[in-house]
Amino acid sequence: MQDELNYDRYNENAGQIYRIALEGRVGDNQINAAVTCPPLAQALMQEFPEVLQAARIDLNNNMLIRYQDKAFNETRFYWADSNIFKIFTIPLLQGDPQKALAQPHTIVITKDMAAKYFGNEDPIDKFLIFEDGTPYRVTGVAQNCPRNSHFHYDFLAAMHSRDDLRDDLWLNNRLYTYILVKEGTPQAQLQAKMADIVNKYVGPELETAMGVPFDKMLASGGKYRFVLQPLLNIHLHSDLMGELEANSDIRYIYIFSIIAVFILLIACFNFMNLATARSANRAREVGIRKVMGSNRPQLIRQFIIESILLTFIAVILAMGIVELMLPLFNNLAGKQLETSYFGNWLSLLGLAGVVIFVGLLAGSYPAFYLASFQPVSVLKGKLSKGTRGAAFRSMLVVFQFAISIILFISTFLVHDQLMYIQNKKLGFNKDHVVVIHRAWALGRQVDAFKTAITQNTNIISAGGSTALPGNGPYGASVYKPEGGTLNEQYLISPTTGDYDYAKTLDLTLKEGRFFSREISTDTLSVVLNETAVKTLGLKDPLNQRVILMGPTPEQSQTFKVIGIIEDFNFESLHQIIRPLAIHLQPYDCRFMNVRIRPENIQATLSFLEKQWKTLVPDKPFDYTFLSEDYAKQYQAEQHTGKIFTAFSVLAIFIACLGLFGLASFTAEQRTKEIGVRKVLGASVPNLILLLSREFTKWVVIANIIAWPAAYFAMNHWLQNFAYRIHPGFTAFFISAILALLISLATVSYQAIKAATANPVKSLRYE
């Protein structure tokens, strides 16, 4: 939890840093994005005295970089303004942060990248060659990016090296804008002033693009605003379109914290149960101490101190176990956590607090219970062995199993949802598709490449695209039907593909046709998905025209609808299917999708690489599988499922330890009764049933409590998915049976042992 809550806190001015997000509505379509426009940063610095610094960054997650004979595809490459060092804490091991990115074609690299490209050479003033052949001079070496950052960089290149990022269009949202404000600046006050920027700069462009006054657009239900996001809230509270990296969710912190507390409570309840159940073993000690002059507060203090000492020993053992198990947990949770007990006084203080809290919680009831014994009754042997507090012990056992059953149910439902995601019909076929990255390197040779590879019988088809299903980039642009009014403008996601894009992904054509090489006018055509047709209100869509709105009427483009494809999940199943418009882009595609046969995969990959090297020998052959790329969207859920499973096993194990102890004690207390029953003719199965019946009753009651709680919690979690399972009876029933079987297996050993004991020895007991 501490790791998750500490994201971005390494920045010295973390509390004064904000990211600007975009929130808009056009018609019935809502947009919430992490990107904003290029001129925003400069305007904020000029017009808002509260803003000390404003900088922009832009991610390129597929950048080819060379140094001499070394060439690598880099995924953590950022363009950044020169004042990025004044906002974020980025310590430079070499170079001057004031000058590092001040000149065009300069770059700062991390310590790891310096070793990767330059080895033992001094990287300063050396040149890295980008894919377009432009040399960039290394002007600084930074410490490696901290792990607990909401974005991670290996390269920071001067933003003003790129002409395409110098435009002054306020509707061209493509960059990430961060600001550093004066200490003590109220967020609400600065947020209110952001409306002035929108009215002054964005409003006129929207009026020009949409042909209506900005205030009329707002009055009709439209929206356009810049939103301040505190830096420290991004990792756990932000899930916007275009996030730099997948963020976590504060709800998981709450869930796992509650589960951890519940497991700790189970252990505490076990201690209470066993301590009170075996109270008779210490009753005589209490009686003698009271006769010798000990008063009740002294006895309570003694028992609580014993509990705290036991907790302290347990914490020491737990620290050792954590050290051993941490690599396994990191693999389970996808983390890189490290322990630092003695280097962090907060950790030591927290552990001390745990020792005291758990010691008091677990020891308080047994302490008060034992200290309440009357010495006369105890020393005369009139104290009933462990019968007092039986109802309380039963309640604790019920609570333990209720928690365990909730975790069991949650584990099953998380697993079912993940299976549903993996097996749901997505509207396209993601299996056996090799995705070749950086396909734009082929340029005009793309046709020759496709012709060459499709001659191989192991290759079915190949089609280029600018985006991958589930892996973007999918933005949103304003479209309207030709002749549409203000209220007929809609946000639609545009993407591009070549002539074989639909065939390669097995998209289903509902009406019309896809792009054709024989029809030259298809460059001005568009293929819509079913949702886009409904959104645009096209009754008879084929051959109708739609307009892609530009910043000005002159920059708007008109396209003829030539085909309608069946809706497919081009984004994750967390979102409903949005309107999609596919435009023709036969060249300069980012990806080349190649559908292959499942046989001889390695040979097919070698063939693809050979053909690639024939046409572009100076570019690396970089590929992934579409099914794996798509599955990466759900890594967080997969980690959640594994952690739920681990917690469930741990909770039921701890609960069973307590149950085993209680079963042992119960069998011991009823030894004489069992002997009498055997003499009177009771069979072994009858005796086992007698001893197990009480524990079975507790598990049944625990299920009655756990089912509603589990249903409520998991139904809430499933709301994160636009496409989800509905919690069925199966998971609840299986969890109940498992809990019952585990509890019976736990007590059965003691029950069988007691039931098969020699009755002669039983009757001589005591």
Side-chain angles (χ1 to χ4, degrees), residues 581-622:
I582 304 175
H583 298 273
L584 177 61
Q585 174 59 276
Y587 305 104
D588 200 30
C589 284
R590 183 180 180 187
F591 305 104
M592 178 60 64
N593 310 293
V594 183
R595 179 166 297 283
I596 66 174
R597 301 189 190 280
E599 302 84 16
N600 303 316
I601 292 178
Q602 195 56 51
T604 304
L605 292 174
S606 298
F607 172 78
L608 287 171
E609 182 174 13
K610 180 181 178 181
Q611 297 303 317
W612 175 273
K613 290 294 186 182
T614 300
L615 295 175
V616 277
D618 59 332
K619 306 294 189 212
F621 178 71
D622 184 19

Side-chain angles (χ1 to χ4, degrees), residues 10-59:
Y10 68 89
N11 292 287
E12 294 176 3
N13 300 312
Q16 299 166 242
I17 301 174
Y18 294 87
R19 183 176 72 181
I20 313 298
L22 173 64
E23 184 179 303
R25 184 187 301 118
V26 178
D28 295 330
N29 300 280
Q30 182 78 23
I31 181 170
N32 295 288
V35 291
T36 49
C37 52
L40 176 61
Q42 188 64 28
L44 291 174
M45 288 185 64
Q46 289 178 348
E47 304 194 18
F48 289 175
E50 301 95 332
V51 178
L52 300 176
Q53 298 290 335
R56 306 161 303 169
I57 64 173
D58 185 33
L59 170 66

Side-chain angles (χ1 to χ4, degrees), residues 131-156:
E131 186 169 10
D132 62 359
T134 305
Y136 276 69
R137 182 168 59 92
V138 178
T139 54
V141 177
Q143 282 281 16
N144 294 327
C145 183
R147 178 180 49 79
N148 55 344
S149 174
H150 78 280
F151 71 95
H152 298 84
Y153 53 82
D154 287 325
F155 301 85
L156 297 171

Side-chain angles (χ1 to χ4, degrees), residues 27 128 135 170 179 241 339 421 537 607 645 694 704 721 725 740 745:
L128 294 173
W170 284 80
I179 62 173
M241 183 188 304
T339 54
I421 288 172
F607 172 78
T645 302
E694 183 178 6
I704 294 173
F721 297 87
I725 63 169
L740 183 60

Side-chain angles (χ1 to χ4, degrees), residues 266-385:
I266 289 175
C268 292
F269 294 161
N270 276 348
F271 182 85
M272 293 180 189
N273 263 337
L274 296 177
T276 53
R278 293 188 171 274
S279 57
N281 295 340
R282 303 197 67 177
R284 194 174 298 277
E285 174 194 344
V286 172
I288 292 174
R289 285 183 179 275
K290 283 194 171 184
V291 169
M292 297 299 292
S294 294
N295 56 33
R296 191 166 185 263
Q298 288 175 323
L299 291 170
I300 292 173
R301 187 163 54 250
Q302 173 198 337
F303 292 127
I304 287 180
I305 290 174
E306 288 179 5
S307 175
I308 291 175
L309 285 174
L310 283 173
T311 305
F312 175 74
I313 295 171
V315 166
I316 297 299
L317 291 173
M319 291 168 65
I321 294 172
V322 166
E323 286 290 340
L324 293 174
M325 300 297 291
L326 190 59
L328 179 62
F329 179 81
N330 282 338
N331 182 59
L332 191 72
K335 289 283 187 180
Q336 297 176 358
L337 303 181
E338 298 176 353
T339 54
S340 178
Y341 301 117
F342 302 105
N344 186 343
W345 66 271
L346 284 175
S347 296
L348 291 175
L349 191 63
L351 287 174
V354 168
V355 169
I356 294 172
F357 174 76
V358 173
L360 289 174
L361 178 65
S364 57
Y365 179 76
F368 281 96
Y369 178 67
L370 289 168
S372 67
F373 291 165
Q374 296 300 318
V376 175
S377 299
V378 169
L379 295 177
K380 286 184 177 181
K382 294 182 178 180
L383 181 69
S384 177
K385 292 186 178 181

Side-chain angles (χ1 to χ4, degrees), residues 652-713:
I652 202 74
F653 176 73
I654 295 174
C656 287
L657 283 179
L659 198 61
F660 184 84
L662 280 178
S664 175
F665 176 76
T666 301
E668 179 186 333
Q669 293 296 95
R670 302 179 71 173
T671 301
K672 196 168 188 178
E673 174 193 346
I674 292 168
V676 172
R677 288 180 178 273
K678 289 194 74 173
V679 169
L680 294 176
S683 65
V684 171
N686 286 338
L687 290 173
I688 294 173
L689 181 62
L690 173 70
L691 292 172
S692 304
R693 186 167 52 197
E694 183 178 6
F695 298 102
T696 302
K697 178 180 66 177
W698 292 345
V699 175
V700 171
I701 295 172
N703 274 283
I704 294 173
I705 296 171
W707 284 21
Y711 180 85
F712 174 80

